[in-house]
Amino acid sequence: MLSVLEEEMNRVDVIFNPEHKIIDISVKDSLFIDAALVFNKKKMWFEYKAVLKSLKEFVTNNRLYNNKHFIYFICTRQHIDICGLYLKKNNIIIRYQILRKHKTIKTNREIIQNKFDFEFEKIHYSNGSVYLSWQHKTLVIDIHNFLRTCEINIGEGTKVHYIGYTKNPLSRPINGSHNGLSTVLFQNRNKNLDFFIVYNAFNVNFLNTVNNVVVSVDNKFMHVLSAENEGLLVEKIMINFFLDNNILDNYDKENKELIKFKLKLKEMHYTHLFLTFGFLEKSDYYNFYSNYRSHESIHTYEEKIT
């Protein structure tokens, strides 16, 4: 196994070789949606409307220059039961139960305070949401958003079960009529898990070295790939990276489509493919893993196109 430093040095050597043309893919932005809202939207209508608003903003912000397609994950996390959340002096105490074990987290209030643009006076938990109160006002935030935003970690990563792509995130798979989502829910029933849809927007850049200067141009300006093919390429790479043929019925089909993409890229004289899937946020919600990949805050993938 190469160290992270060795991998980076190898990547630098490849990038600065003028004979190489490189496709560099990196995640730009992600949005977590609690799948429980999808199947309980009649009971949780206000929460569902708030999620749709966030999703619309996410799509708009990531489609400034082209009709970008999005990659979504269907994921699970170990369910936690919050037994208590309260202020104690200068700390916020969270008592919770996970896998039948009772645990406690103590976090400095100032660290949490810095995540919000107001100074809350009270904080409490009820029915899946955290309530932050100040000056006769109250902000309600669901527990998952609170833990993720405040980077409060419980030591559990996010497991990837299914990967797909969509040009219309407001209907797929959030409308609930989705075989992949239904299958993941059925296969993991009675396991005391929380389910999430995670939408991802990616940057796809094309790199070349001219006179020892690396030139990087986003596909949205070069149009080497159509928006549809850009999305499909990233989807196939992510499927190949995270999932394996033991858990994916159509793995062979997905792999063959990726091979076809690489042959087309080779015809255009592209020599290497890089992928970086990682986030600046320090929340363990962003530590993705699968049956095939271990917990990591940053996943990297490199392949020579032959």
Side-chain angles (χ1 to χ4, degrees), residues 9 23 95 107 147-148 151 211 231 270 273 277 289 304:
M9 291 302 295
I23 303 166
R95 293 188 295 107
T107 304
L147 294 175
R148 188 171 63 254
E151 298 178 346
N211 296 326
Y270 285 95
L273 184 63
F277 186 72
Y289 72 101
K304 185 176 181 180

Side-chain angles (χ1 to χ4, degrees), residues 108-151:
N108 186 280
R109 173 179 177 165
E110 185 176 350
I111 294 174
I112 306 302
Q113 184 66 73
N114 291 336
K115 301 294 183 180
F116 301 96
D117 58 3
F118 58 88
E119 188 170 347
F120 60 85
E121 299 162 357
K122 296 179 180 179
I123 184 171
H124 76 278
Y125 171 85
S126 178
N127 295 325
S129 296
V130 177
Y131 294 75
L132 300 165
S133 301
W134 78 106
Q135 297 178 358
H136 306 293
K137 300 178 182 178
T138 300
L139 171 69
V140 183
I141 179 171
D142 77 80
I143 185 62
H144 296 293
N145 279 336
F146 178 77
L147 294 175
R148 188 171 63 254
T149 301
C150 298
E151 298 178 346

Side-chain angles (χ1 to χ4, degrees), residues 268-281:
M268 293 187 284
H269 307 293
Y270 285 95
T271 60
H272 289 76
L273 184 63
F274 291 157
L275 170 71
T276 303
F277 186 72
F279 301 85
L280 295 175
E281 292 86 348

Side-chain angles (χ1 to χ4, degrees), residues 75-124:
C75 303
T76 59
R77 286 179 58 84
Q78 191 63 50
H79 178 71
I80 61 171
D81 290 308
I82 303 297
C83 307
L85 191 155
Y86 53 88
L87 278 171
K88 186 176 182 180
K89 296 182 179 179
N90 291 322
N91 294 307
I92 292 175
I93 309 297
I94 303 175
R95 293 188 295 107
Y96 66 97
Q97 182 177 341
I98 184 170
L99 295 173
R100 300 182 179 179
K101 294 181 179 179
H102 290 275
K103 297 186 178 183
T104 300
I105 294 176
K106 181 170 71 172
T107 304
N108 186 280
R109 173 179 177 165
E110 185 176 350
I111 294 174
I112 306 302
Q113 184 66 73
N114 291 336
K115 301 294 183 180
F116 301 96
D117 58 3
F118 58 88
E119 188 170 347
F120 60 85
E121 299 162 357
K122 296 179 180 179
I123 184 171
H124 76 278

Side-chain angles (χ1 to χ4, degrees), residues 78-248:
Q78 191 63 50
H79 178 71
I80 61 171
D81 290 308
I82 303 297
C83 307
L85 191 155
Y86 53 88
L87 278 171
K88 186 176 182 180
K89 296 182 179 179
N90 291 322
N91 294 307
I92 292 175
I93 309 297
I94 303 175
R95 293 188 295 107
Y96 66 97
Q97 182 177 341
I98 184 170
L99 295 173
R100 300 182 179 179
K101 294 181 179 179
H102 290 275
K103 297 186 178 183
T104 300
I105 294 176
K106 181 170 71 172
T107 304
N108 186 280
R109 173 179 177 165
E110 185 176 350
I111 294 174
I112 306 302
Q113 184 66 73
N114 291 336
K115 301 294 183 180
F116 301 96
D117 58 3
F118 58 88
E119 188 170 347
F120 60 85
E121 299 162 357
K122 296 179 180 179
I123 184 171
H124 76 278
Y125 171 85
S126 178
N127 295 325
S129 296
V130 177
Y131 294 75
L132 300 165
S133 301
W134 78 106
Q135 297 178 358
H136 306 293
K137 300 178 182 178
T138 300
L139 171 69
V140 183
I141 179 171
D142 77 80
I143 185 62
H144 296 293
N145 279 336
F146 178 77
L147 294 175
R148 188 171 63 254
T149 301
C150 298
E151 298 178 346
I152 298 172
N153 294 325
I154 62 172
E156 291 287 331
T158 301
K159 185 174 183 178
V160 180
H161 295 267
Y162 182 96
I163 297 173
Y165 103 111
T166 178
K167 61 182 178 181
N168 189 1
L170 293 170
S171 65
R172 180 178 174 85
I174 197 173
N175 64 0
S177 179
H178 187 277
N179 289 336
L181 179 57
S182 299
T183 299
V184 172
L185 290 171
F186 179 77
Q187 291 178 342
N188 294 277
R189 66 195 185 282
N190 304 323
K191 291 185 180 180
N192 202 26
L193 298 171
D194 292 322
F195 295 84
F196 297 90
I197 300 167
V198 184
Y199 288 99
N200 302 287
F202 284 82
N203 286 326
V204 177
N205 294 305
F206 295 89
L207 278 64
N208 201 358
T209 300
V210 180
N211 296 326
N212 288 326
V213 176
V214 177
V215 180
S216 176
V217 183
D218 196 305
N219 183 58
K220 64 189 175 188
F221 299 119
M222 288 188 67
H223 305 294
V224 174
L225 299 171
S226 66
E228 180 179 7
N229 281 337
E230 177 187 292
L232 283 169
L233 174 62
V234 178
E235 180 206 28
K236 306 311 175 192
I237 292 171
M238 296 305 289
I239 288 174
N240 182 267
F241 183 81
F242 270 114
L243 306 180
D244 63 21
N245 55 7
N246 292 321
I247 59 174
L248 191 67

